[in-house]
Amino acid sequence: MSDKYVYSFGGGEAEGSADMKNLLGGKGANLAEMNRIGVPVPAGFTITTEVCTNWYKDGVEATVAAIKPQVEEGVKKIEIVMGAPFGDKENPLLLSVRSGARVSMPGMMDTVLNLGMNEDAVKGLSKKTNNPRFVWDSYRRFVQMYGDVVLGMKPESKEDIDPFEEIMDQVKEEKGVENDTELTTEDLKALVDRFKAAVKKVTGHDFPTDPWDQLWGAIGAVFGSWNNDRAIVYRRLNGIPGDWGTAVNVQAMVYGNMGDHSATGVAFTRDAATGEDLFNGEYLINAQGEDVVAGVRTPQQISLEGSKRWAVLAEVSEEERAKNYPSLEEAMPEVYKQLVEVETALENHYKDMQDLEFTIQEGRLWLLQTRTGKRTGEAMVNIAIEMLEQGMIDEKTAIKRIEPNKLDELLHPIFDTDALQKATVLAKGLPASPGAATGKMVFFADEAVEWKAKGEEVVLVRIETSPEDLAGMDAANGILTARGGMTSHAAVVARGMGKCCVSGAGAVKINYRTRIMTIDGKEFKEGDWISLNGSTGQVYDGKIDTKDPELSGNFAKLMELCEKHAKMLVRTNADTPHDSSVAREFGARGIGLCRTEHMFFEGERIKAVREMILAEDEEGRRKALEKILPYQREDFEGIFKAMDGLPVTIRLLDPPLHEFVPHEEKNQAEMAQEMGITPEAVKAKVEDLAEFNPMLGHRGCRLGNTYPEITEMQTRAIIEAALNCKAKGIKAVPEIMVPLIGTKAELDLQNEIIRSTADKVFSEKGDKVEYMVGTMIEIPRAALTADNIAETAEFFSFGTNDLTQMTFGYSRDDAGKFLPVYLDKNILKVDPFQVLDQEGVGQLVQLGTERGRSTRPNLKVGICGEHGGEPSSVKFCARVGMNYVSCSPFRVPIARVAAAQAAIEAE
Ligand code: PEP
Ligand code: MG
């Protein structure tokens, strides 16, 4: 670790740069970089993320002692560039103190603005600016923010409002005004006194007046906020390690609230919701940054085009728009022009969509932040492909820009058009994050989490959201807020999560105490169903059916790119012709796992299956199997047809038989009648089949080896289906897969049965088809003896669900009781049933592949556990040299992107 803790920037120079994100955090690195490329940025310095780690490791005192000289030096440099001394009586320098981790964690950590304010500073600045109202307003904001962030003055319970807001509301009521802007200088002075008195009452101490005390308090609070509850939740949801730490950015204040020639805003170089190449954003005249996101005043649009579009959505007439909500382009044309130059320069420099924060102080533009903008899945695809077509990035960069899991948003259902036509629109808000959501209303984030855990579908309804609501937003299908614009907390966070959100639906009135939402006099209570369209902003009454989405042209272009760059194929796990067709549309290159037993439950066939299981002897089983044969053959024909020439891996019966038998008395009686035996006999057989640990019991190839007639019937169904297809001119490529083997002998016996049955069918039909026999590798012993097994197996497919179960010794069915605790306590970083444990289970996968290929160099190897659709696991499979991964149909595009990224990363 270096002994440089503080990096200064300002006046067009910087000690840091954009490639120092790990040390300076994203914000600090970009503030430095903006200085380097000539963008106007207020001077400041960044305290490194290493200091945050020390803060927790070495303690506050030792850390402060180590960094103090450099922080003092940093402040001195700001004083020189800005021409104002910190703590000066006439012309005091005021500072902002903000967090900034390696990756942005919007709103999760703390910020203090206007730091350095005290009675002396107020006097000096009032004289200097000749604007005492502005100065007192800044002072009251400082006391409020510092009180909240550093001194811990927060609401006591979730139903309470902020203690400072409460005082503010009282003062406004006393003065008979509605907005803060209507308070006079005298009112603001009184407000500051009341704020300070509240601080003294709650904390027992006077509000700090010494600027240096204030600065160290704020630095400590920002470092402390790295480990607040909401930051921890956010890190867990986004896989951000707890030991990264945050940097602290200390910067000269600039003011958007110095009057009507001042403003503040946020902007995106392209549309973060759709990806459209349109500079857009929101601003407020005479305001500070938090006013734009707080949702108290309605923010105005930056460009004229954006403003006109907003007016249509918000149902505001052109006349009213131009008068009350003019765009920045109209209100401050010169500054707007400069801002467009800056945004173009930044996008060209970073070659990605940027999310900017800016302030205009008395007509002068300052950039406070630039970062890679968060975007929806749709925008992610559109921006990557359009930047490629605009020649800004190359094909590989375009692929690398895709977060595979985010494609999920594009693949999820939208409202069924017919159902939507019949639905009643209750209200209209802003289309903050696209998609469709339906669920029962809940008003509190923690309750959204509880309801979801009970299996309910919920929509979180709030006046506005705050970072505390994160876990609840994640649990909800969608989010509706009564207040807030397109850059409100709810909107930004929902877009990041890819979650449907309607914000700022002004007609929605919410009473947290009674748990009632009122729209135009109509009441809706907690638990009532509502539906949201995050693409239009509409709020609907009741539950609305959804359907599969249609994919845009850029999505297809992306898939083509992936096809070109990936070396590993993607297949699908599908058990029905319908799923097979869906997966083909998404580009699946075959079926990697068809679980035959899934068809057993359809319609009448379960009866025949039960008959087979309940039969007393082989003869009885054969009789029942004959009934199942035509069903199976028909299913396989359907699938072969859907896959038309692509390989189809069909797995022989796997689950323990107990899963298929009737457990209820009524069903047992029905079955007894069907088979002409007594209900007692059925009951006895069902009890006989029960196992203590069925997942390690009589299942997998153990079934086919004890009851060879099952394997015979399934082989016959597969081969006959393939021959029938051939007769119709459809090419079928069956790969017969034996499940759950642990020894070569287990596979050998199954192989013999399969091959002799196939030969029999070929000679009966006088025709042949090509087929393969292979096995799943899902028992550790099979992976360890893979060289042996490959003597018989023509292909391997890693069943990493069972392999994970057996390597960890965690029961797939019972792990739910302790896995969440293990994740909470950090005993496990991720759920190994979702993300392949590369360190442990991965060794078996790698070793099994290598040993198998040592016997049979051209051995085809794939994976068909759930991990086959999880990006980090897919990349691992590519590195191991697998021929394909197989996953559920809707994850096929995700796996295709991950496979292409793996190939690019390997170069
Ligand atoms: C597996 O074990 O990974 C697998 C794909 O099989 P199943 O989930 O059906 O046991
Ligand atoms: Mg398995």
Side-chain angles (χ1 to χ4, degrees), residues 651 654 699 740 776 778 799 801-802 812:
R651 181 177 72 184
D654 182 22
R699 61 169 287 218
L740 215 79
M776 294 193 66
E778 47 187 346
N801 301 335
D802 275 308
R812 279 167 75 171

Side-chain angles (χ1 to χ4, degrees), residues 409 432-434 473-479 493-501:
E409 289 165 38
S433 182
M473 295 172 75
D474 186 52
N477 289 349
I479 298 131
V493 173
R495 278 202 296 276
M497 286 180 170
K499 191 143 288 200
C500 160
C501 174

Side-chain angles (χ1 to χ4, degrees), residues 66-80:
I67 65 173
K68 202 162 181 234
Q70 294 183 30
V71 168
E72 287 172 356
E73 181 64 30
V75 171
K76 212 168 275 157
K77 286 187 183 163
I78 306 178
E79 292 175 336
I80 294 167

Side-chain angles (χ1 to χ4, degrees), residues 568 838 846 872-882 902 905-906:
M568 185 175 66
Q838 297 180 18
Q846 178 153 15
S872 70
S873 315
V874 172
K875 290 184 182 180
F876 174 81
C877 295
R879 290 198 293 276
V880 166
M882 284 195 191
E905 283 162 19

Side-chain angles (χ1 to χ4, degrees), residues 460-640:
L460 180 64
V461 180
R462 303 276 307 160
I463 296 173
E464 60 198 54
T465 64
S466 76
E468 259 98 45
D469 298 327
L470 203 70
M473 295 172 75
D474 186 52
N477 289 349
I479 298 131
L480 168 65
T481 67
R483 282 199 210 148
M486 293 293 280
T487 47
S488 65
H489 177 266
V492 172
V493 173
R495 278 202 296 276
M497 286 180 170
K499 191 143 288 200
C500 160
C501 174
V502 173
S503 69
V508 170
K509 302 278 173 276
I510 297 163
N511 187 328
Y512 288 144
R513 288 188 206 276
T514 57
R515 296 173 186 240
I516 284 178
M517 168 178 90
T518 313
I519 300 177
D520 292 336
K522 190 169 172 209
E523 288 191 347
F524 299 84
K525 53 184 189 319
E526 178 180 84
D528 287 348
W529 282 87
I530 55 163
S531 301
L532 309 176
N533 186 339
S535 312
T536 62
Q538 264 142 338
V539 182
Y540 297 92
D541 197 359
K543 186 179 175 182
I544 306 178
D545 289 339
T546 54
K547 64 166 189 169
D548 293 345
E550 285 151 25
L551 295 167
S552 75
N554 282 338
F555 180 85
K557 286 182 191 166
L558 171 68
M559 288 296 121
E560 265 170 45
L561 273 189
C562 291
E563 186 78 26
K564 183 169 160 194
H565 290 271
K567 299 212 164 63
M568 185 175 66
L569 298 178
V570 177
R571 293 195 188 184
T572 191
N573 294 357
D575 317 316
T576 64
H578 173 260
D579 285 357
S580 310
S581 309
V582 170
R584 256 205 103 150
E585 302 258 297
F586 286 146
R589 298 285 293 274
I591 289 182
L593 174 63
C594 169
R595 292 175 164 107
T596 44
E597 63 272 9
H598 284 183
M599 305 161 175
F600 283 8
F601 287 95
E602 298 246 320
E604 284 295 295
R605 32 193 110 172
I606 187 64
K607 279 191 191 150
V609 173
R610 286 174 172 169
E611 203 178 311
M612 185 264 292
I613 296 168
L614 297 173
E616 278 305 317
D617 50 20
E618 187 184 325
E619 200 194 323
R621 271 192 300 277
R622 284 194 183 276
K623 223 175 90 204
L625 283 165
E626 256 169 52
K627 292 189 195 166
I628 305 172
L629 175 72
Y631 291 129
Q632 287 251 284
R633 192 172 49 219
E634 196 186 314
D635 291 333
F636 296 144
E637 265 188 65
I639 291 175
F640 287 142

Side-chain angles (χ1 to χ4, degrees), residues 301 304-322 325 428 430:
Q301 300 298 306
L304 179 57
E305 164 86 28
S307 184
K308 289 191 166 165
R309 290 190 193 181
W310 164 84
V312 172
L313 282 169
E315 291 168 358
V316 167
S317 71
E318 172 56 20
E319 200 188 343
E320 193 189 342
R321 184 203 70 75
Y325 307 103
K428 194 145 173 264
L430 294 172

Side-chain angles (χ1 to χ4, degrees), residues 79-99:
E79 292 175 336
I80 294 167
V81 179
M82 304 306 286
F86 189 48
D88 192 65
K89 288 193 173 156
E90 262 106 65
N91 181 25
L93 171 69
L94 298 184
L95 298 172
S96 69
V97 181
R98 295 172 215 253
S99 61

